[in-house]
Amino acid sequence: MASTITYTGGLKGAPNKATAVSAKVTDALGRPLGGYLVTFVIGSQTVTATTNGSGIAATQVVLNQKPGFYPLTASWAGDPGKYLGASTSAQFSLNKK
């Protein structure tokens, strides 16, 4: 079955400050998928979180990169035989207007 991941965290942050990242994982029928690992990548940094019963994976990352615009990706690998993996991307602004 297909799945969808939607990034629900912020898209702005400051160097060396905790930044909240989160995403929601649902199946093709819109049902939340709990207990799955989601990987967040911002520039060269990676952090992971596990989805809760509402399908939401949330954590914080302290970004130690230089100010600028970085690609942000949230993805999950899926569950072989049950769900296809999915990913989404956005642009993250690290201390830039």
Side-chain angles (χ1 to χ4, degrees):
M1 180 182 286
S3 68
T4 302
I5 185 167
T6 306
Y7 182 73
T8 57
L11 293 173
K12 293 181 181 179
N16 302 310
K17 303 279 187 206
T19 300
V21 292
S22 61
K24 183 171 185 176
V25 179
T26 56
D27 69 11
L29 302 175
R31 298 177 296 201
L33 299 177
Y36 292 102
L37 192 66
V38 172
T39 302
F40 299 94
V41 180
I42 300 176
S44 63
Q45 290 182 249
T46 302
V47 65
T48 60
T50 301
T51 57
N52 62 19
S54 299
I56 296 174
T59 189
Q60 292 188 339
V61 58
V62 176
L63 297 165
N64 57 15
Q65 300 168 89
K66 293 180 180 178
F69 295 99
Y70 294 94
L72 178 150
T73 304
S75 60
W76 82 291
D79 190 346
K82 289 174 103 176
Y83 302 107
L84 297 172
S87 68
T88 186
S89 58
Q91 185 178 44
F92 188 88
S93 173
L94 186 57
N95 209 30
K96 288 282 188 181
K97 299 205 188 248

